[in-house]
Amino acid sequence: MRYRWYSTFLLGAALLVTVDSARAFEVEGGAALRETAVLFRPPWEAPLPDDAFGLAEIKLRPFVTVREENVSVSLAAETRVGLTAMNTALLTQGVASAGSVSVLGVSAPLRRFDLTWKHISDPHVAWQTSIERADVFVHTGPVDIDLGRQPISLGTSRFVGVLDVIAPFAPGDLDSSYKPGVDAVRVRTGFGMAGEAELLAVAADPWEDSAIVGRLRDSFAGIDLEVLGGRFRQRNFGGLAFEGDAGIVGVWGELALFQRKSEPHRAGWSKAAFSGVAGVDKNLPGNVLLSLGAFYHDFGARDTAELTAVSLDEPFLQGWSFLRAAGYGVVTGSYEFHPLVNGSAAGLINLVDGSTLWQPRITVSMADNADLTLYGWIGVGPKPRVEGLQLVTPSEYGAIPDGGGLYARWYL
């Protein structure tokens, strides 16, 4: 079997944890069941199919962690069933496929090993099982080592980011409870009062796309700072992330430079493309938290005519960049209606074509181990139209299908 050595290593590591019965060890396990159901209506203003269509996903994720003194082994599998009910003509337009419940795109995490088994795969039904976590963590004095399939996040993990390039979530992703696992080695050590240094090596297929990243994290005057740099998908990059309190407001942001490759040079320096996002948070009366920010990147389109072409550039095809225009305003907010009911909203304002995308949601705690979220998506802007034999999209978010749905989680 192609990856027999990988499975054998993980099994051997698990046995090492449990072989000495004289030592105390603990086992923590459970399962998470997540369900998403969404109904969309295509935004066509043309003689094309305009009936609504629906997407649904069910994900079951059993997991277990075995700990023994300075060693732990974690395993998690995920079975996903995706269903699509829609007009066949819409499928041929590439509007959606079975189970791809996402508004702004789907990321492609770096992975070396194919640990996914597809049971059913067609445009209307998708059923697969994958290993999402299988790693060994070892604490050895001043150094921690984590080896295997594991989640990795870079940057501040905000609604919009630029540094989380290994396995990012698209802005407004409907199911962001669990990061996709990647095949990696992480070595961490601490320094000073709160500092941490880390080296990450993430394997990809092909090997040339693998990533190696070094990062330093520390706190200064109430601001958490993260400096990182390295290489991924044959592209060098470096950046800075910050988050913390600055007087009466909170501040956050990410700044990065990416080596240019095959994508067109749309703006900025010819050797490297700049990406950045920054914003402020403010607690307002009435349990309201408001966040305002601005996003810019050299990869984005400067005029409406380029919006479609940008989708074919490498950062977007590879699944680590999602916003097609050069600049955006970012608005997020939250409000506590009741200790068991929370409301939130997020908005993106395209500064190139003036279109906007709004995502309101209400989350209700159903029990200690269950909650239910109601979503909506509203794209505002000029709608697609047909000119001759060509479909013209005059704005980014006018072409987003409006819709709504629900997201339920149970922890067993």
Side-chain angles (χ1 to χ4, degrees), residues 61 226 238 255 259-260:
R61 183 186 181 100
E226 178 177 323
L255 309 173
Q259 178 187 356
R260 290 194 182 274

Short mmCIF file of all heavy atoms in Angstrom, two decimals, residues 61 226 238 255 259-260:
data_model
loop_
_atom_site.label_atom_id
_atom_site.label_comp_id
_atom_site.label_asym_id
_atom_site.label_seq_id
_atom_site.Cartn_x
_atom_site.Cartn_y
_atom_site.Cartn_z
N ARG A 61 -17.54 13.38 12.70
CA ARG A 61 -16.10 13.41 12.99
C ARG A 61 -15.83 12.76 14.34
O ARG A 61 -15.83 13.43 15.37
CB ARG A 61 -15.61 14.86 12.98
CG ARG A 61 -14.10 15.02 13.19
CD ARG A 61 -13.77 16.50 13.32
NE ARG A 61 -12.36 16.73 13.50
CZ ARG A 61 -11.51 17.10 12.56
NH1 ARG A 61 -11.96 17.29 11.33
NH2 ARG A 61 -10.23 17.30 12.82
N GLU A 226 3.30 38.62 15.64
CA GLU A 226 3.76 37.40 14.99
C GLU A 226 4.51 37.78 13.73
O GLU A 226 3.98 38.45 12.85
CB GLU A 226 2.57 36.50 14.65
CG GLU A 226 2.95 35.21 13.93
CD GLU A 226 1.76 34.31 13.68
OE1 GLU A 226 0.87 34.24 14.55
OE2 GLU A 226 1.70 33.68 12.60
N GLY A 238 6.76 36.52 3.29
CA GLY A 238 7.05 36.95 4.65
C GLY A 238 5.99 37.91 5.12
O GLY A 238 5.33 38.57 4.29
N LEU A 255 0.15 41.94 7.44
CA LEU A 255 0.85 42.53 6.30
C LEU A 255 1.77 41.47 5.72
O LEU A 255 2.44 40.74 6.47
CB LEU A 255 1.66 43.76 6.72
CG LEU A 255 0.92 44.83 7.53
CD1 LEU A 255 1.89 45.89 8.01
CD2 LEU A 255 -0.19 45.45 6.70
N GLN A 259 6.30 36.54 -3.22
CA GLN A 259 7.06 36.50 -4.46
C GLN A 259 6.11 36.37 -5.64
O GLN A 259 5.16 35.60 -5.62
CB GLN A 259 8.03 35.32 -4.44
CG GLN A 259 8.83 35.16 -5.71
CD GLN A 259 9.65 33.87 -5.72
OE1 GLN A 259 9.67 33.12 -4.73
NE2 GLN A 259 10.32 33.59 -6.82
N ARG A 260 6.36 37.13 -6.69
CA ARG A 260 5.53 37.03 -7.88
C ARG A 260 5.96 35.81 -8.71
O ARG A 260 7.14 35.47 -8.78
CB ARG A 260 5.64 38.28 -8.73
CG ARG A 260 4.98 39.50 -8.09
CD ARG A 260 4.85 40.60 -9.12
NE ARG A 260 4.26 41.81 -8.56
CZ ARG A 260 2.96 42.04 -8.45
NH1 ARG A 260 2.10 41.12 -8.85
NH2 ARG A 260 2.52 43.18 -7.95
#
